[in-house]
Amino acid sequence: MRIALKLYASLSHLLPPEAARGNRMVVNVDPANTIAEIIDRYRVPQESAHLVMVNGLFIAPSERASRRLQENDELAIWPPVAGG
């Protein structure tokens, strides 16, 4: 099935160059894959997957190992950020 994977800030370098400008790429994943498995597949360190959202809704760390996606879902991931 196809989903959109969006990686932001310091994670955008994990995307191929053609996708990095928009922070987004469409990928094929197995419907049985969980969010945690997709995060691993695309080499996002678990500790860097600070804010994870599916279609704009926050997914708690405790749900990522069991939550599966649906066709055309959008999985967005942000690392921890600090500012000041």
Side-chain angles (χ1 to χ4, degrees), residues 29-62:
V29 298
D30 186 311
N33 287 154
T34 65
I35 291 172
E37 290 168 334
I38 295 167
I39 288 171
D40 287 342
R41 176 178 168 188
Y42 289 96
R43 303 177 327 273
V44 176
Q46 290 291 333
E47 65 276 2
S48 293
H50 181 70
L51 177 61
V52 175
M53 299 180 82
V54 173
N55 302 326
L57 299 173
F58 174 70
I59 306 299
S62 61

Side-chain angles (χ1 to χ4, degrees), residues 3-26:
I3 65 161
L5 176 64
K6 299 176 89 174
L7 301 177
Y8 292 96
S10 62
L11 299 176
S12 64
H13 77 279
L14 298 172
L15 295 170
E18 64 275 8
R21 283 179 288 164
N23 294 342
R24 180 182 193 276
M25 70 178 180
V26 175

